[in-house]
Amino acid sequence: MGHMDHFSAGWVTPVLSYAMACVGAALGLRCTVRALEADGASKRNWLTLASVAIGSGIWTMHFVAMLGFSVEGTPIRYDVPLTVLSLLMSIGVVAAGVFTAGYGRSRVTSVAFGGLGTGVGVAAMHYTGMAALDLHGRIDYDPRLVIASVLIAVVAATAALTLTLVVRGPVLATVAALVMGLAVSTMHYTGMYAVSVTLAPSGAALSGATATEFIFPLAVVLGSFLFLASAYVALSPTGKHHESAVAAELLREVELATV
């Protein structure tokens, strides 16, 4: 059994990865609110940006955290096409959830299905990204922890969407982003603790790229995109009256659903 270290780079990787998850969540959730204020192409554009922000934030979080992952007795490489696929899958599945939340007629139903889609997107990205990992050995998973990781992602993503749609100020907006960031990080490390590695020592060279050759540069590019997009959203005009109407509508539907 290969000894795994999830924090080989110290606390830098978990802290930085959580920060990236929060930035992506804050931007994506804010764009979702902006989409509810808009119509037509503008609505679609906001939802698309939300999907890219959350999806790339999730991906960046995962692979920044993976910079601190090592297995004693074997080097680690990443399959480049599968790694790129994990990014595209993350954005695509999250988009399904975000567009459901943005276009659904019932806010309660939209949040439920949107949270499900977003949470599944988090999990799909994680396990596709893990499938891209290549080492001298075999990777196995504890099914109970895998299921727990998916449930964590779905529940927390739903909570974050709910907080976003009833947001009344910067405090709840911050809480929503922190919840979503926590969902991604908790899901990641729960999924990682589900991993066990059985080594098969070999002198053969592994295919693929090292984390510093491919993962790190792409994470820097995506991180820069998130920060620049956040600045754009922060400086763009808002529709505060419409936000209040959306919040009131959601609260009315919640009250009706519980009667």
Side-chain angles (χ1 to χ4, degrees):
M1 192 73 69
H3 173 70
M4 294 177 293
D5 187 352
H6 299 282
F7 308 103
S8 62
W11 288 99
V12 173
T13 50
V15 170
L16 182 58
S17 63
Y18 175 66
M20 296 309 302
C22 289
V23 170
L27 175 59
L29 294 173
R30 189 60 187 160
C31 288
T32 303
V33 171
R34 295 294 184 88
L36 298 176
E37 307 167 13
D39 296 302
S42 179
K43 183 184 190 75
R44 184 177 63 252
N45 292 340
W46 278 118
L47 290 174
T48 300
L49 181 57
S51 303
V52 174
I54 296 175
S56 59
I58 292 168
W59 188 94
T60 304
M61 178 275 143
H62 172 83
F63 282 104
V64 167
M66 290 301 290
L67 291 174
F69 177 71
S70 64
V71 180
E72 185 177 337
T74 177
I76 294 175
R77 299 291 185 271
Y78 293 90
D79 182 289
V80 173
L82 262 182
T83 302
V84 173
L85 176 63
S86 71
L87 172 59
L88 298 178
M89 181 179 291
S90 175
I91 294 172
V93 180
V94 167
V98 168
F99 272 78
T100 298
Y103 281 102
R105 294 182 179 180
S106 167
R107 294 291 171 212
V108 174
T109 304
S110 296
V111 167
F113 282 102
L116 176 63
T118 304
V120 169
V122 174
M125 185 286 311
H126 175 86
Y127 290 105
T128 304
M130 288 302 294
L133 189 149
D134 189 21
L135 45 71
H136 291 311
R138 187 184 74 250
I139 296 176
D140 297 300
Y141 295 91
D142 182 332
R144 294 167 299 178
L145 287 175
V146 170
I147 293 171
S149 69
V150 176
L151 291 176
I152 289 170
V154 171
V155 171
T158 303
L161 277 176
T162 302
L163 285 172
T164 299
L165 294 178
V166 298
V167 66
R168 296 173 185 271
V171 174
L172 278 182
T174 301
V175 170
L178 293 175
V179 167
M180 186 66 179
L182 183 62
V184 177
S185 296
T186 304
M187 184 272 153
H188 171 84
Y189 285 107
T190 302
M192 292 308 297
Y193 280 112
V195 171
S196 61
V197 177
T198 303
L199 290 177
S202 172
L206 293 169
S207 61
T210 66
T212 53
E213 288 173 343
F214 176 66
I215 305 291
F216 181 72
L218 186 54
V220 169
V221 170
L222 292 175
S224 300
F225 158 75
L226 289 173
F227 281 108
L228 290 173
S230 297
Y232 167 76
V233 173
L235 294 173
S236 63
T238 62
K240 294 183 179 178
H241 295 298
H242 190 81
E243 280 185 29
S244 298
V246 169
E249 179 187 348
L250 178 58
L251 290 173
R252 283 197 301 271
E253 292 194 20
V254 171
E255 291 171 358
L256 290 174
T258 55
V259 172

